């Protein structure tokens, strides 16, 4: 039975503890400050994107895809406010994502092919069979049966494996090779199709593996989006850390209703005045840079910050 009185007591105690601390300290501990910084950075990138007239028809078709009304003739003026109210949340998110996609395509197009070649091995997809037991002796016995007696891996997996893979005769995948446990990735990377790996330890299990299929990575649209996202994250992460480190001491001094500070002369703004234009972050290899105005979301090319 839940003790609601104790729960209420704990809630009040937690609230009092929060109220006794600087707001910035609490926000940083919970990751809110990092996310807030990220959202504002992404908004800058999104705001910097300029849409050419000849791009509007394609963007409008993507924005209104699946919506039960025709799009406007152009993306001019406050077109979002002119859209039906029920459409605005979807349109706002799509608009954010489309502009962010445009920004990263432009920012990283020269790096994408080399980065794909760098990541290609870890992006390939595999299908494999897996058999998990807890006994080293049993694993070795099964391995020798597979090697010497040419027993069927799937049948033995169905008979001996203690994981859910026994229901599929040991079959796992297809999946990116970087998805399973690191020890499994390492073993699979060394196997040819049809080959069986010697038993390996994965946490408290002894695992046997057989590679069924290896699909080389291709720079298709899904992979392209994934790599663009990674390049974006790799660039903005140090910018976010640097920004927070620079302003955090001043954030601690901000008064809140729960943590007022003594009366004092007005201070200058914590942040420098906004400039009319901003420069887009330089390429990751060029070192730290300032972000410029510009598009999509929770910093996945599918949305967190809004317009």
């Amino acid at each position: 039975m839940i003790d609601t009185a104790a729960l209420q007591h704990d809630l009040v105690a937690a609230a009092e503890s929060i109220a006794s601390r600087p707001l910035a300290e609490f926000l940083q501990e919970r990751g809110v400050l990092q996310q807030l910084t990220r959202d504002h950075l992404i908004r800058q990138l999104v705001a910097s994107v300029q849409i050419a007239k000849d791009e509007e028809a394609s963007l409008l078709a993507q924005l209104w895809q699946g919506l039960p009304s025709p799009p406007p003739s152009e993306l001019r003026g406050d077109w979002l406010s002119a859209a039906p109210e029920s459409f605005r949340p979807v349109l706002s998110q799509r608009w954010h994502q489309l502009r962010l996609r445009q920004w990263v395509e432009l920012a990283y197009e020269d790096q994408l092919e080399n980065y794909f070649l760098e990541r290609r091995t870890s992006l390939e997809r595999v299908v494999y069979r897996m058999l998990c037991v807890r006994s080293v002796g049993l694993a070795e016995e099964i391995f020798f049966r597979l090697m010497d007696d040419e027993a069927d891996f799937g049948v033995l997996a169905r008979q001996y494996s203690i994981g859910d893979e026994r229901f599929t005769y040991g079959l796992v995948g297809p999946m990116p090779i970087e998805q399973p446990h690191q020890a499994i990735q390492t073993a699979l990377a060394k196997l040819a199709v049809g080959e069986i790996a010697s038993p390996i330890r994965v946490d408290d299990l002894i695992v046997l593996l057989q590679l069924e299929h290896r699909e080389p990575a291709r720079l298709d649209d899904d992979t392209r989006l994934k790599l663009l996202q990674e390049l974006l994250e790799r660039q903005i992460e140090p910018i976010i850390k640097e920004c927070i480190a620079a302003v955090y001491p001043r954030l601690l001094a901000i008064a809140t209703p729960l943590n007022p500070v003594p009366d004092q002369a007005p201070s200058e703004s914590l942040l420098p005045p906004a400039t009319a234009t901003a420069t887009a972050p330089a390429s990751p290899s060029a070192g730290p840079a300032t972000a410029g105005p510009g598009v999509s979301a929770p910093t996945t090319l599918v949305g967190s910050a809004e317009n």
Side-chain angles (χ1 to χ4, degrees):
M1 181 176 178
I2 297 175
D3 187 342
T4 55
L7 181 61
Q8 292 170 13
H9 176 272
D10 291 345
L11 180 60
V12 171
E16 289 174 346
S17 174
I18 293 170
S20 67
R21 302 166 58 191
L23 178 61
E25 182 181 291
F26 174 75
L27 294 179
Q28 185 178 45
E29 180 184 284
R30 296 305 177 96
V32 176
L33 193 56
Q34 291 82 347
Q35 186 60 50
L36 184 63
T37 308
R38 177 185 300 273
D39 288 347
H40 280 276
L41 190 158
I42 295 299
R43 286 191 184 100
Q44 284 192 12
L45 304 185
V46 169
S48 72
V49 173
Q50 302 296 318
I51 305 299
K53 184 69 176 176
D54 59 1
E55 297 175 311
E56 290 190 8
S58 173
L59 290 174
L60 282 166
Q62 294 176 70
L63 285 166
W64 257 263
Q65 184 177 7
L67 297 180
S69 72
S73 58
E74 58 181 8
L75 291 170
R76 293 289 179 262
D78 193 4
W79 61 268
L80 185 59
S81 295
E85 186 175 357
S86 60
F87 294 176
R88 291 175 199 165
V90 172
L91 290 172
S92 178
Q93 184 182 48
R94 289 179 179 179
W95 180 228
H96 181 81
Q97 293 169 1
L98 288 169
R99 287 181 295 160
L100 182 57
R101 174 69 184 266
Q102 286 207 3
W103 190 91
V104 295
E105 289 276 7
L106 181 62
Y108 305 124
E109 62 179 347
D110 293 337
Q111 305 171 44
L112 189 60
E113 185 172 347
N114 286 338
Y115 187 55
F116 170 71
L117 294 175
E118 175 188 327
R119 292 272 285 114
R120 181 168 55 184
T121 301
S122 59
L123 291 171
E124 68 181 14
R125 296 173 66 82
V126 291
V127 178
Y128 60 97
R129 291 190 187 273
M130 180 169 68
L131 190 159
C132 303
V133 295
R134 298 194 185 280
S135 165
V136 175
L138 177 58
E140 291 177 344
E141 178 187 337
I142 294 172
F143 178 69
F144 290 132
R145 288 179 62 183
L146 289 167
M147 301 304 292
D148 298 337
D149 301 337
E150 298 184 353
D152 184 272
F153 195 112
V155 172
L156 293 180
R158 177 67 175 174
Q159 181 178 355
Y160 291 106
S161 193
I162 61 176
D164 289 344
E165 66 279 350
R166 68 185 183 276
F167 300 120
T168 58
Y169 290 85
L171 201 61
V172 181
M175 67 170 59
I177 195 170
E178 63 182 356
Q179 182 173 324
H181 190 282
Q182 181 61 54
I184 294 177
Q185 294 180 38
T186 302
L188 290 174
K190 300 175 182 177
L191 295 179
V193 173
E195 192 175 1
I196 299 172
S198 301
I200 61 171
R201 180 172 290 277
V202 178
D203 299 327
D204 60 342
L205 298 175
I206 311 301
V207 178
L208 290 93
L209 301 165
Q210 181 180 37
L211 183 62
E212 290 285 330
H213 174 70
R214 187 189 301 277
E215 180 182 339
R218 294 178 296 111
L219 191 54
D220 55 19
D221 195 56
D222 288 343
T223 301
R224 187 181 184 88
L225 276 176
K226 175 182 174 63
L227 296 181
L228 289 172
Q229 178 70 40
E230 290 179 6
L231 288 168
L232 175 65
E233 292 296 330
R234 187 169 73 174
Q235 183 170 359
I236 69 175
E237 184 176 351
I239 296 174
I240 291 169
K241 290 180 178 177
E242 181 182 342
C243 180
I244 292 176
V247 303
Y248 187 69
R250 287 175 284 172
L251 293 177
L252 289 173
I254 294 178
T256 68
L258 296 177
N259 296 289
V261 295
D263 292 339
Q264 54 186 2
S267 62
E268 295 194 6
S269 170
L270 295 176
L271 299 175
T275 55
T277 60
T279 306
S283 114
S285 58
T290 49
V295 189
S296 162
T299 310
T300 96
L301 299 180
V302 265
S304 146
E306 305 264 332
N307 273 343

